[in-house]
């Protein structure tokens, strides 16, 4: 009975901490507060490496714009696991593509950066560019349909 009680308490604590994490990370101001730098940039290079028997992916991003903090023009983001799904598949591994435009919330860990708040700390700006031009996706679809008539 004592084991069951301990298990239930542990599950509840895990749920409460997970809920708090989601609440903090879903708020952009809190993500920014937890970050050392926030950048908009372009992914230049993706490279998998093994260090001390652990597999990591190193993503080099050319910083086009700093929204918080300052560092060099090239930022290296380190994440556990390899983007090649045949090697290792980890649910917290974020996907990147060369030439992808991204907004990243980053904290400095040792000599590299890591994304804050998991997938909420990375935004693909390629999908957002349409809205920045003032055209909605519906307007683009209407225009495309008119030209196909």
């Amino acid at each position: 009975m004592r084991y069951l009680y301990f298990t239930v308490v542990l599950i509840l604590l895990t749920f409460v901490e997970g809920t708090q994490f989601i609440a903090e990370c879903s708020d952009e101001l809190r993500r920014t507060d937890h970050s050392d730098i926030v950048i908009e940039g372009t992914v230049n290079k993706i490279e998998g490496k093994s260090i001390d028997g652990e597999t990591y992916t190193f993503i080099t991003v050319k910083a086009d714009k700093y929204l918080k903090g300052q560092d060099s023009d090239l930022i290296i983001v380190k994440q556990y696991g390899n983007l090649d799904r045949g090697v290792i598949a980890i649910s917290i591994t974020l996907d990147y593509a060369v030439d992808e435009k991204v907004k990243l919330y980053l904290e400095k860990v040792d000599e590299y950066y890591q994304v804050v708040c998991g997938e909420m700390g990375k935004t693909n700006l390629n999908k957002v560019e349409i809205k920045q031009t003032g055209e909605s996706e519906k307007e683009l679809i209407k225009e495309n349909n008119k030209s196909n008539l």
Side-chain angles (χ1 to χ4, degrees), residues 15-85:
F15 175 75
V16 169
E17 285 195 19
T19 306
Q20 182 180 1
F21 173 80
I22 291 170
E24 284 187 16
C25 287
S26 62
D27 180 24
E28 186 173 3
L29 290 174
R30 288 190 177 169
R31 271 195 314 269
T32 302
D33 286 345
H34 291 293
S35 303
D36 294 320
I37 61 172
V38 180
I39 63 168
E40 290 180 358
T42 306
V43 176
N44 283 354
K45 182 173 149 184
I46 302 168
E47 182 177 26
K49 291 182 185 176
S50 182
I51 301 172
D52 297 330
E54 300 288 337
T55 304
Y56 295 93
T57 300
F58 294 86
I59 301 98
T60 304
V61 179
K62 182 187 179 305
D64 300 324
K65 182 178 181 182
Y66 276 88
L67 305 172
K68 177 184 178 182
Q70 191 69 33
D71 204 324
S72 67
D73 288 345
L74 292 178
I75 300 297
I76 300 176
V77 179
K78 176 183 171 185
Q79 73 179 14
Y80 184 75
N82 194 314
L83 292 178
D84 180 0
R85 298 293 185 218

Side-chain angles (χ1 to χ4, degrees), residues 88-132:
I88 191 168
I90 298 174
S91 61
I92 59 169
T93 302
L94 300 174
D95 291 324
Y96 294 88
V98 173
D99 294 329
E100 176 184 15
K101 293 193 178 298
V102 293
K103 179 178 182 181
L104 298 173
Y105 296 82
L106 302 167
E107 70 176 330
K108 188 91 172 203
V109 179
D110 299 323
E111 61 193 275
Y112 301 105
Y113 283 96
Q114 291 182 347
V115 175
V116 172
C117 292
E119 64 184 31
M120 288 183 247
K122 176 192 179 247
T123 303
N124 180 331
L125 296 179
N126 293 343
K127 296 177 184 176
V128 180
E129 282 183 24
I130 293 171
K131 294 175 185 164
Q132 291 176 345

